Amino acid sequence: MNTFMFEIPCLLGLEKLVADELKKLNMADVKAENGRVTCRGTLADIPRLNINLRCGARVLIVLNQFKATTFEELFQGTRAVRWQDWIPQKGEFPVKGYSINSQLSSVPACQSIIKKAAAQKLGEAYHTEWLDESGSRYQIRFSIMKDEVHLCLDTSGEGLYKRGYRAVNNGAPLRETLAAAMVLLSGYKGRDPFCDPFCGSGTIPIEAALIAKNRAPGLNREFAAEGWSNLNKKYWMDAASEAMDKEFDRVYEIWGGDIDPRCVELARANAEKAEVEDTVNFEQYDARRFYSTADYGRLVTNPPYGERMMDKKDAADLYKAFGHSVSLLPPGWRVSILSSHTEFEQAFGQKARKKRKLYNGMMKCDLFMYGKV
């Protein structure tokens, strides 16, 4: 079976986590770069990657890489791809992408050139001057960084953070991929008590439950490549069966609390959609009074930053009260808190033993880690 290069975009700071996931899936030639990780695999790996990845943004097949400083070079590099090997005559092939620090800086112009070149190649292959694009979608994605062009096909469709369990959110959503990354960075493996006292719509505890159960995050959603004519449907069934065979069935202590009862109800509904309602317990709770009688555990949370949910001073006051409660926990606890607040440690009352730079969307944050890290 032929092998292909896959590119997995990800939030800055999550590259090593994605690389580790790919290695666990036995992918070849795994390489981490800024904001993306590449590997090699076969068509059968398209379902495996989409179903199993927790921290990657989407799964792209790299069809060509080349340097382009002119629109003619971009056109010829695009036309060199055998698009007919992937896109059938009636396939829809929209174009999306971005350009950073490159001479070809106009994204709309680049989109137009790539679309024209791909359409010309397909028209010649299918002996037609008109492509109606009424079939399945084959999303072309391009990136141009320092004049280096990557042309890809998007196998995922909607981003991998859309697991399918969160239809609505509480107005300040944390992407599921970032929530999973926070849980993994905390070192949680399902054995310790796990708590999130600012749970919102329940994303962090739900991702912790999926990780504890070793349940693949993509089992309950659909992907663009499921409609591709050149991808055997048996690959999808085999990948799903493989993932389900790896699940664990044990008792876990995973808890989420929020002061807003509407968030608690939403979190419970989301846990039910994710099929982990028997694994996570949610309740209305004031994080400023957090305590635990357990000698050890993991606390992973994403409190308000003072950007949307409250102002900076209110956030600092909240951190101070919460920090006092955390300081009373037994020394066996490990605490990880995501915040963009510039004076978090001062307000919290403790200097973190370790900090990890992460991005919540476009917002630069730090994951402040306390206890044994």
Side-chain angles (χ1 to χ4, degrees), residues 74-145:
L74 180 62
F75 182 90
Q76 294 301 333
T78 303
R79 199 180 182 287
V81 175
R82 287 183 56 85
W83 296 102
Q84 66 271 25
D85 289 349
W86 297 94
I87 304 174
Q89 185 169 346
K90 292 187 177 182
E92 181 188 10
F93 56 104
V95 179
K96 290 183 179 179
Y98 62 87
S99 177
I100 299 174
N101 297 329
S102 299
Q103 293 191 48
L104 298 179
S105 58
S106 172
V107 171
C110 292
Q111 286 176 302
S112 178
I113 293 294
I114 292 170
K115 179 75 174 185
K116 181 179 179 181
Q120 186 180 104
K121 188 66 173 279
L122 289 169
E124 290 177 2
Y126 295 124
H127 308 291
T128 181
E129 294 183 359
W130 183 69
L131 300 163
D132 67 12
E133 298 192 54
S134 60
S136 297
R137 173 170 289 200
Y138 297 76
Q139 178 73 61
I140 298 174
R141 290 189 179 269
F142 71 90
S143 64
I144 309 177
M145 299 182 66

